[in-house]
Amino acid sequence: MSKAEPGGQISRAAQNRVLFCVALADFVYEVETNSVDIAIPVIRQAFDLTTSQVSFVSLVYLLLDAMVLLTVSWAARRWNISRVFCLACLCMAAGAACCALSPDFVWLLGGRVLQGIGAGAVSALCYAIIPVYLPADRVGWRYSWLSTMAGLGMIVGAPVGGFLTEAVSWRGVFGFTAVLLLFLALCVYRWLPAAPSAADARQRFDWQGAVLFACGLTTGINGLSWGQELGWASGETWLLAAVSAACFGLAFRRREGCEPLFPAALLCNAPYRAGLAITFAIVACVEGSRFLLPLYLNSVYQAHVGFVSLALAVFSAAYVAGARLSRRLAVRLDDYVLVRGVAVAGAGVCGLFAMKLTTVGIPGVYGFCLLLGLTAGMLIPITNAFLMKQVTAEHHTEAGVIISLVAGIGSLVGVSSFETAFSFPFPGGNAYLSGQWPVAEMLYEGGRNAFLLGGLLLLAAVSVLSLAGGRQRVRSR
C-alpha cells in the first residue's frame, strides 16, 4: 500500500485506480443488497420462518449499517481511511462467507451482523475517499461515475440473485458476494494509497452518545417489529418504547470535551430537518417495498424466482432513468418545487397501487416497480442537493453523514413497518406463510396496509417540508 502525498497529489493513473476501487465498492454493495432481496422468500422456506423472523435477515444488516455510520468517519481519521476501507471490505466478505456456510438461522444472522458492520463503513467511506485523493476540479465528474456504477449494481443484482438462487441455492448468493468482496479487498490493498493523517485525528469521540443512540435504535426497531405479536398495549411494548426514547434523549446530550454526534447548527435548521423527513420517507417506502414485494409475489401468485427478480430489475432500471431525468429537471426548476412535487407523486403511486392491489395482477406489480423506481430515482438526488444547500460549507461533512444515517434509519423503519402492516390482518399479527396457504383476503389486506403506509409516510414528509416555512425560508439556490 503506497503513501499519498499531502493534498492528494498522486499520478493520473493512481487516481484512476482509486476511482476503480471506489466505483467497484459501490457496484458490489448494490449487487449484494439487491441479490439478497431476491433470496428472502427462499430463505424463509428453507428455515421454515414467519415473515417477522425472516425480516431480521434485512433488519440486523441495516441496523449495524446505520450504527457504524456514527463511528466510521472518526475511525478513518484516527487509523487512516485506506486501512479502514480495506478492513471494511474484508469484514463484509467474512460475513458473506459465514452466511453461505451457516448451518442454521442463528449463524445466518451472525453473518449478517458482520456484513452490516462492513457495509456501513464501505457506504460511508465511498464518497469520502474521492476528495481525499482527487483534485477538486475532477471531484464532481468522478461522483457521477459512482452513481453510474451504483445504478449498474442495482440493475445487475436482481437477475444475478435470481439466477444463483434458482441454479445453486440461496447460499450461492452469499458465496458469490464473498468472492466479489475478496477481490475488492485485494484491489483496495494494492491500489488505494495511505492518506495523510487528519489534523483532528486525536479528538475525543462521544462513545457514550454513540452507544446510547445504538441502544435506542435497537430497542425502537424491536418494539416496532414485535409490537403486533406482543400487543401494542402490552407492558413489553411500552417498556421497549420507553427505553428507546430515554436512550435517544441521553444520546443527544452534549458531553464536555467530546465531539458532538449531531451539531446543533444542523438540528436547528428547519429546512434541513424537513429535507431529512423526505429522505427518511422515500427510503422507508423503497426499502419496505423491496423487502415485501418478493414475499408478496411468492405467497399470492407463487411466482417463480425469475419473475420476482425481474420485478426488482424493473425498479432498478427505472431508478437509474429517474436519476438521469432529475439532473435535467434540476437546472430548470427550483429544488423545493421538485422535491415537493415528486414526493406527492410518489405518495400517489403507493396509494393507487394499494387501492388496486386485488385487480392489477403481476403486470400491475411490474408497473408499480417502474413508477416507484422513477419516483425514487428522481427524488433522492434532488433531495440530497436540496439538503446540502441548506447548510454552510463548514458543516458539509457532518450534513452528509447525517443524511446517510437518516437513510439507514429509514431503511430499518421501512422494512420493519411494512412487515408489521402486512402481518396485521393475520391472527396474532404473525404472517406464517409455510404449509397451508393463508386466505387471499388476508394477503391482499396486508399488502394494502403496507403500501398505503408508504404513501402516508411521503405525505407526512411533504407536510413537514411545507410547515418548515415554505420557499421564503429556504436558502436561495
Side-chain angles (χ1 to χ4, degrees), residues 380-403:
I380 291 175
I382 59 176
T383 302
N384 289 342
F386 170 84
L387 283 165
M388 297 309 289
K389 290 176 182 178
Q390 309 312 312
V391 300
T392 58
E394 64 180 309
H395 291 299
H396 275 176
T397 301
E398 294 90 343
V401 170
I402 291 176
I403 292 170

Side-chain angles (χ1 to χ4, degrees), residues 209-221:
V211 170
L212 286 167
F213 188 88
C215 289
L217 193 58
T218 303
T219 52
I221 291 299

Side-chain angles (χ1 to χ4, degrees), residues 211-256:
V211 170
L212 286 167
F213 188 88
C215 289
L217 193 58
T218 303
T219 52
I221 291 299
N222 274 282
L224 184 59
S225 296
W226 295 106
Q228 182 68 11
E229 287 88 340
L230 296 173
W232 292 110
S234 67
E236 294 92 337
T237 303
W238 280 100
L239 178 61
L240 288 172
V243 171
S244 178
C247 288
F248 279 131
L250 293 172
F252 279 83
R253 289 184 60 187
R254 177 70 185 271
R255 273 159 279 277
E256 190 66 30

Side-chain angles (χ1 to χ4, degrees), residues 75-131:
R77 292 197 305 268
R78 186 178 180 88
W79 290 305
N80 195 291
I81 194 170
S82 57
R83 186 180 304 170
V84 174
F85 194 59
C86 186
L87 289 174
C89 296
L90 289 174
C91 186
M92 281 191 76
C98 182
C99 291
L101 300 174
S102 57
D104 54 40
F105 188 59
V106 175
W107 276 91
L108 176 63
L109 291 183
R112 292 295 279 172
V113 167
L114 286 176
Q115 279 193 295
I117 293 172
V122 167
S123 62
L125 294 178
C126 272
Y127 285 86
I129 282 174
I130 294 294

